[in-house]
Amino acid sequence: MLLFTTFGRYLTQRFLRAILSVFGTFFFLIATLDFVELMRRAGDSPTATTPSIIQLALYRAPSVAEQIFPFAVLFGGMFALLNLSRKLELVVARSVGISAWQFLQPAALVAGMVGLISIGVYNPIAAEMKQRATALEASLFARTGQVVGKEIWLRQRGVDGQAIIRAAAALQDGVGLTQVAFFTFSPDGGFSERIEAKQAVLYRGYWELSEARVTTATEEPQSYSTYLVATTLEPDQVRQSFTPPDSVGFWSMPAVLDRTQKAGLDTTRYELRYEALKARPLLLIAMILVAASVSLRFFRFGGVTRLVVGGVAAGFMLYVATQLSEELGSSGIVNASVAAWLPAVVGTLLGALALLHQEDG
């Protein structure tokens, strides 16, 4: 096999160097732009200093940069192949009987290994850095004790039946909610009562609601300074439900899925993230095939610029398809596994088809 020859090792080094160079450039740009934006925001915060802003930018950069792995592989693969073509190294390789499929073996190996390392090593580090960034950002920019964000929805089981919880925000400790509404149901599924409260704090085995107003279908609304609602939720489970999927590392995801499922909470976002991470090596290999299908034209034939633009457009379309598929998966329209794997599988097949047509057809 070409992989174990001197030429194969040479190609492996070229592809790896190109991909890492592109990723490093993107990482630096992301960190720099984020630092500039954070410095702009720091003008409104008396506690934000330049060292803390630099630290926050470095904490945030790995998670954001993780999203550009497919483009790093695409551009790195195109750059390496175009350089090989410009120096006529591909011409020499073909003259001795080496096909495109053979000298793409090192590129596919590098892409697959980059994918595996990105999910097994890089992703857990990026997830940990994102959690630290969230805590640091809250301490630097939060003006109140609330985490500002979209509405929070929870579902719980209790000895009195199930309940659906809606809250405007979570308190910083992660076990308290503000502007809460509980919709409780009896064990047979019938509506029981609606409870609105200014604040709800979770203790072991129950929620403590402050300034609660209870409405049922058979009685007049009643107001209570304190009201208790039984629950089987644990504080760690509630904190986890507020944690975005990209803040959970690859190796921690199965445990998070298990805890979330046992708590009766929605696991779709975590399932989709977990499957998307597992599909990443195949997606990166698909990017290599796309890069090869537009970068193997020899410079002396001309039209290289048009092919490069086509490759960028094809990679962008594949990325958009990936994002659209994940949106469909997160909304429950498509199964999480299908939504995560479909773009990678389709991209690989289309890249291979384009390469077959160009090389053999």
Side-chain angles (χ1 to χ4, degrees):
M1 292 180 64
L2 183 65
L3 285 174
F4 305 107
T5 64
T6 302
F7 185 54
R9 291 192 294 272
Y10 170 74
L11 290 177
T12 300
Q13 293 174 4
R14 292 293 297 271
F15 282 116
L16 181 61
R17 190 182 303 119
I19 291 172
L20 292 181
S21 297
V22 173
F23 180 78
T25 302
F26 281 152
F27 189 97
F28 175 77
L29 290 175
I30 289 171
T32 302
L33 293 175
D34 195 34
F35 170 74
V36 173
E37 173 61 20
L38 290 172
M39 285 298 293
R40 185 190 64 80
R41 292 175 55 193
D44 299 328
S45 174
T47 61
T49 62
T50 300
S52 64
I53 293 299
I54 294 175
Q55 184 181 18
L56 178 57
L58 292 177
Y59 280 168
R60 286 159 54 108
S63 179
V64 179
E66 187 177 13
Q67 302 176 30
I68 54 92
F69 266 114
F71 288 105
V73 172
L74 174 66
F75 295 149
M78 292 173 61
F79 179 74
L81 287 169
L82 288 173
N83 265 340
L84 291 171
S85 177
R86 181 175 60 85
K87 296 178 180 179
L88 301 181
E89 290 171 299
L90 293 185
V91 177
V92 175
R94 295 204 179 191
S95 68
V96 297
I98 298 177
S99 69
W101 300 105
Q102 288 177 297
F103 57 70
L104 282 180
Q105 290 174 7
L109 175 65
V110 169
M113 291 303 298
V114 168
L116 291 175
I117 293 173
S118 72
I119 64 176
V121 179
Y122 184 93
N123 174 259
I125 295 174
E128 175 64 25
M129 292 297 100
K130 184 174 178 62
Q131 293 182 19
R132 295 186 183 184
T134 301
L136 181 58
E137 186 174 7
S139 66
L140 293 178
F141 298 108
R143 297 181 179 178
T144 66
Q146 297 182 1
V147 177
V148 179
K150 60 183 180 180
E151 275 190 338
I152 297 169
W153 289 86
L154 296 172
R155 187 181 65 183
Q156 70 165 32
R157 298 188 184 96
V159 295
D160 301 324
Q162 296 194 17
I164 297 174
I165 306 170
R166 184 195 67 201
L171 299 179
Q172 272 190 320
D173 57 9
V175 294
L177 305 173
T178 60
Q179 303 300 321
V180 189
F182 281 68
F183 302 89
T184 63
F185 300 86
S186 60
D188 61 5
F191 175 76
S192 178
E193 59 187 12
R194 171 176 174 165
I195 311 167
E196 296 177 327
K198 181 179 181 181
Q199 181 174 298
V201 179
L202 177 64
Y203 296 95
R204 190 169 298 276
Y206 66 93
W207 290 93
E208 183 178 279
L209 280 60
S210 303
E211 300 182 24
R213 180 179 175 85
V214 181
T215 304
T216 66
T218 58
E219 299 179 3
E220 293 292 326
Q222 301 290 327
S223 297
Y224 303 89
S225 58
T226 301
Y227 194 82
L228 304 182
V229 178
T231 183
T232 57
L233 291 176
E234 297 290 337
D236 288 342
Q237 294 172 335
V238 175
R239 290 191 188 98
Q240 191 63 63
S241 68
F242 304 149
T243 304
D246 55 358
S247 294
V248 182
F250 177 77
W251 303 111
S252 302
M253 192 66 77
V256 171
L257 280 169
D258 183 62
R259 289 199 303 267
T260 308
Q261 190 172 21
K262 288 181 178 178
L265 304 176
D266 184 24
T267 62
T268 303
R269 296 182 306 152
Y270 299 104
E271 291 176 359
L272 183 61
R273 176 65 173 173
Y274 190 44
E275 293 298 328
L277 287 174
K278 291 193 290 185
R280 181 179 292 170
L282 183 60
L283 179 63
L284 299 190
I285 292 175
M287 287 296 185
I288 282 291
L289 293 176
V290 171
S293 66
V294 299
S295 304
L296 293 180
R297 185 184 182 94
F298 299 137
F299 268 71
R300 63 186 176 88
F301 291 159
V304 174
T305 302
R306 180 173 56 84
L307 290 175
V308 171
V309 173
V312 173
F316 180 75
M317 290 300 295
L318 181 56
Y319 178 78
V320 170
T322 301
Q323 297 300 310
L324 178 60
S325 181
E326 290 182 359
E327 286 294 328
L328 294 175
S330 62
S331 63
I333 299 176
V334 180
N335 179 270
S337 297
V338 174
W341 283 91
L342 185 61
V345 173
V346 173
T348 302
L349 293 176
L350 291 179
L353 180 63
L355 201 56
L356 280 170
H357 175 72
Q358 181 175 330
E359 294 297 312
D360 305 321

